[in-house]
Amino acid sequence: MADAFSKLLVAEGIVSAEQLAEASRLAGTSGKKVHDEVVRLGYAPAEKVMKALAKTHRLKFVNLADISVPEEVVQLLPESVARENTIFPLSESGGTLRIATCDPSDMDAQEKLRFILNRDIEMAIAVREQIVEAINRHYGLSDGESADSMLQEFTDTAIDFTETAVEQQAAAAQEDNSDAPVVKLVNLVITEAVQLRASDIHVEPFEDRVRIRYRIDGRLVERDNPPRRLLGAILSRIKILSTLDIAERRRPQDGRIKLTADGKDYDLRVSVLPTNHGQSVVMRILDKDNIRVGIRQLGLSEGDFRQFKNLIRRPNGIILVTGPTGSGKTTTLYASLNELNRPDTKIITAEDPVEYYLAGINQVEIKHQIGLDFARVIRAMLRQAPNVILVGEMRDTETAQMGIQASLTGHLVFSTLHTNDAPGAITRMIDMGVPAYLVASSVIAVLAQRLVRVNCTKCKQPHQPLDTQIEAAGITPEMLQGATFMKGRGCSNCQKSGYKGRLGIFELMVMTNKIRELAFQGAATQEIRRAAVGQGMKVMFEDGIQKALRGITTLDEVFRVAKKTE
């Protein structure tokens, strides 16, 4: 077959006999195919060469630039398989999948495909560059090739990037050289993370590699594995951007990076931590748009929304927002402050650290090294005559008591606690050493929350959950009648996950006379929960199930973040 192809190239005048001999010689030493070498040497246009190859193998030639492939066909071939073999799905008919390839002689790959996909395969020929472009366009990571070529640029450069002071100083000297490979690589990682809506970038060193992961919608996704020798250069560049000491490798460091990507301004909070294989870096991407949401966009049910909006209009008292790290507490608090932020209202916040800067609000950053802790800031705040106070977190007895004193002297206080549910916040404050009568008289409401991923709007489709899931969720036949369960199929819009974006599920416990009485008596969490549910509180799990019934999220997501309470 190779001889027939070579003869055809010469017979049709695509290349001369000498050019073919040179391409064949180079193919023998490089291990590449003759047609690839002919194109690489510039002896003939890629399209002419691939048409001749198609004619030799009696296959059809396709121009991928003119072809639009339906999403459901693209889904039939996993991205990893497409990239690994440089192939692309074209169409599907009667159980046969038609695939574009640039190497029809690789019979092993074709047999492997038949086994993996469990269907008949029909091959067509296309230009390699068009196949790569089609993969990037349809599978959604168009920057993947540039990232790979950037890593290739490092790998091909015979420089050993070890973490010595000399190399670090050299990297510092390159600070403004935007053409330097390390500068391009770090910029590319940050830009790609922003485009994929990541909240964090993790750069983690291991014995023989560096792992780069993005946290997208709360889940970590592995992206790149640069060689270990690049670690020093990557770290130095990140430290230069965040104005950290590049020579310090034994202590944790914190910094910030301000940058513009896709026409938007972003803040990155940088944390450097020494590990046994080198320094690990986490960059938290702070997007100002995330905290410009109103209370309506948080995901509160209609009843909870009306109730919460009335609560934040109260002149005094404490409103607590509870949940684990990463459950959206800060977003909820900032949405509440945005609602109250008017010229006639003075708002002061105490935060550790200040993540987002809000116009018209006085924000104070906690600095433990100079003794400026929460309790001290709250004392000073009260002399500033505020209407609304935000205390980042009630970490200890002193902070909690100061917050309570502020609420009792006529201020509305917002704060957070790390508890699993709303009733648990009451017993937690009492456990911290705050007198029960103060908790009972000052707290006006507790909002507990979690974040669930939302079904992708582009690829969501009707879905029937398993009977065991419906039973575990406690869904009654009456509820099933009006249910519209949906689930994302996975597409380029949502990076094949089936989910895009997140929404809160909530339980809002308003302090009624009955609950105040139980709090005053120091009652157990279960007793307080029973009383709250008896007086109309909808628990988090139930709120999540309602969102799943409406097709906003899935039962799997609800089970992942919330549990059924008895």
Side-chain angles (χ1 to χ4, degrees):
M1 196 67 82
D3 288 344
F5 173 60
S6 300
K7 286 175 184 173
L8 186 66
L9 285 178
V10 176
E12 294 197 354
I14 296 170
V15 295
S16 67
E18 292 77 19
Q19 288 174 330
L20 179 63
E22 174 67 8
S24 299
R25 186 182 66 78
L26 288 172
T29 56
S30 68
K32 291 184 179 178
K33 303 291 181 183
V34 173
H35 61 267
D36 284 336
E37 286 295 350
V38 168
V39 173
R40 189 183 69 80
L41 291 166
Y43 290 159
E47 193 164 321
K48 272 191 176 181
V49 173
M50 298 313 284
K51 279 181 177 175
L53 189 66
K55 197 171 180 181
T56 306
H57 286 269
R58 293 187 175 86
L59 296 173
K60 189 175 179 184
F61 173 80
V62 289
N63 185 344
L64 291 180
D66 303 333
I67 286 179
S68 176
V69 180
E71 187 71 36
E72 56 268 21
V73 174
V74 176
Q75 307 300 325
L76 295 173
L77 185 69
E79 181 185 358
S80 57
V81 176
R83 289 192 185 279
E84 184 183 334
N85 298 285
T86 318
I87 55 176
F88 187 73
L90 298 171
S91 60
E92 194 268 346
S93 176
T96 300
L97 183 62
R98 193 156 157 261
I99 284 176
T101 180
C102 56
D103 184 10
S105 62
D106 191 352
M107 302 307 292
D108 287 345
Q110 292 177 33
E111 285 304 315
K112 188 171 71 174
L113 269 178
R114 286 188 178 90
F115 178 73
I116 291 171
L117 303 177
N118 195 24
R119 61 176 66 225
D120 290 332
I121 303 295
E122 183 183 315
M123 303 307 262
I125 304 291
V127 175
R128 178 184 291 272
E129 285 70 25
Q130 289 188 356
I131 294 175
V132 170
E133 188 188 348
I135 290 170
N136 288 334
R137 190 168 66 245
H138 286 82
Y139 288 99
L141 282 174
S142 55
D143 286 322
E145 283 302 300
S146 53
D148 293 340
S149 63
M150 188 60 54
L151 289 174
Q152 192 65 39
E153 188 173 347
F154 272 117
T155 309
D156 293 345
T157 307
I159 299 173
D160 186 18
F161 288 102
T162 51
E163 274 193 276
T164 65
V166 176
E167 274 81 12
Q168 289 184 337
Q169 295 305 327
Q174 281 186 345
E175 179 179 355
D176 297 317
N177 183 3
S178 58
D179 292 331
V182 68
V183 175
K184 286 182 184 174
L185 179 63
V186 172
N187 288 352
L188 191 128
V189 166
I190 294 173
T191 306
E192 186 184 60
V194 166
Q195 287 171 346
L196 294 177
R197 303 174 300 102
S199 59
D200 302 90
I201 304 168
H202 294 247
V203 181
E204 303 160 312
F206 294 99
E207 193 170 357
D208 56 350
R209 66 186 174 115
V210 179
R211 181 168 68 179
I212 295 176
R213 295 192 290 177
Y214 302 150
R215 190 179 291 279
I216 302 170
D217 290 337
R219 307 300 289 270
L220 279 169
V221 178
E222 191 164 328
R223 179 65 187 102
D224 279 321
N225 284 287
R228 164 77 194 191
R229 60 191 179 82
L230 305 188
L231 178 63
I234 293 169
L235 284 173
S236 294
R237 180 59 188 163
I238 292 170
K239 286 185 176 183
I240 286 163
L241 286 171
S242 45
T243 62
L244 296 175
D245 181 0
I246 61 171
E248 177 58 74
R249 282 178 283 163
R250 296 171 302 164
R251 293 189 183 93
Q253 291 178 277
D254 294 303
R256 285 184 98 108
I257 300 174
K258 283 186 182 293
L259 63 90
T260 303
D262 290 346
K264 282 173 65 177
D265 292 328
Y266 292 89
D267 262 0
L268 271 72
R269 203 175 78 207
V270 181
S271 169
V272 182
L273 179 72
T275 70
N276 58 338
H277 288 300
Q279 296 168 89
S280 171
V281 178
V282 176
M283 292 178 274
R284 164 70 61 89
I285 301 170
L286 306 173
D287 181 0
K288 292 184 179 70
D289 287 351
N290 289 348
I291 49 96
R292 288 192 183 129
V293 297
I295 297 172
R296 172 65 78 179
Q297 283 78 49
L298 294 174
L300 287 158
S301 65
E302 196 57 43
D304 285 348
F305 168 72
R306 283 199 302 270
Q307 213 165 18
F308 190 69
K309 205 161 180 185
N310 289 335
L311 286 164
I312 65 172
R313 303 278 177 200
R314 297 271 286 268
N316 65 296
I318 294 181
I319 296 175
L320 294 171
V321 180
T322 79
T325 304
S327 59
K329 299 189 296 293
T330 302
T331 305
T332 299
L333 290 171
Y334 280 172
S336 306
L337 294 186
N338 284 334
E339 184 81 15
L340 299 172
N341 190 10
R342 296 189 307 273
D344 62 347
T345 304
K346 170 137 184 163
I347 303 172
I348 306 181
T349 75
E351 301 170 66
D352 182 19
V354 173
E355 289 192 351
Y356 300 96
Y357 299 106
L358 302 169
I361 291 176
N362 303 274
Q363 293 171 275
V364 181
E365 186 150 318
I366 301 303
K367 291 187 171 66
H368 295 289
Q369 63 271 29
I370 59 168
L372 192 63
D373 54 20
F374 279 114
R376 193 166 179 181
V377 170
I378 296 168
R379 275 193 208 95
M381 271 182 182
L382 296 177
R383 293 194 282 274
Q384 297 268 316
N387 302 100
V388 179
I389 291 172
L390 167 65
V391 180
E393 186 185 339
M394 292 200 167
R395 293 182 179 172
D396 50 43
T397 309
E398 191 179 10
T399 307
Q401 287 189 330
M402 288 302 304
I404 284 173
Q405 291 302 331
S407 74
L408 294 174
T409 52
H411 305 88
L412 182 63
V413 179
F414 290 94
S415 191
T416 68
L417 265 181
H418 288 287
T419 61
N420 289 327
D421 56 9
I426 303 299
T427 48
R428 174 73 197 277
M429 287 188 79
I430 294 170
D431 289 345
M432 281 167 62
V434 180
Y437 70 90
L438 283 179
V439 176
S441 56
S442 60
V443 176
I444 57 174
V446 183
L447 181 73
Q449 66 179 77
R450 296 286 189 283
L451 291 176
V452 291
R453 292 182 294 171
V454 175
N455 285 322
C456 172
T457 53
K458 294 276 177 72
C459 66
K460 70 177 181 181
Q461 56 190 22
H463 168 71
Q464 183 55 46
L466 299 171
D467 291 342
T468 51
Q469 288 182 312
I470 290 171
E471 188 182 339
I475 297 171
T476 62
E478 294 76 30
M479 293 161 76
L480 274 177
Q481 284 175 1
T484 51
F485 291 109
M486 306 289 274
K487 188 169 188 174
R489 185 179 66 246
C491 63
S492 57
N493 181 54
C494 59
Q495 310 303 320
K496 303 286 166 292
S497 66
Y499 301 99
K500 187 165 185 181
R502 288 187 292 175
L503 202 64
I505 58 170
F506 302 90
E507 65 183 36
L508 178 61
M509 184 181 81
V510 180
M511 293 292 280
T512 60
N513 289 335
K514 171 70 175 168
I515 296 170
R516 281 188 203 285
E517 193 180 315
L518 289 170
F520 181 69
Q521 293 166 2
T525 304
Q526 291 84 348
E527 209 175 329
I528 295 173
R529 184 189 294 113
R530 277 196 293 272
V533 170
Q535 297 192 329
M537 180 183 85
K538 184 161 67 177
V539 296
M540 237 182 316
F541 185 80
E542 192 183 326
D543 188 39
I545 296 301
Q546 290 296 325
K547 287 180 170 70
L549 288 168
R550 284 157 48 205
I552 297 169
T553 187
T554 61
L555 291 177
D556 288 333
E557 274 297 289
V558 179
F559 292 146
R560 183 174 67 84
V561 301
K563 64 180 190 296
K564 193 173 182 180
T565 50
E566 298 304 327

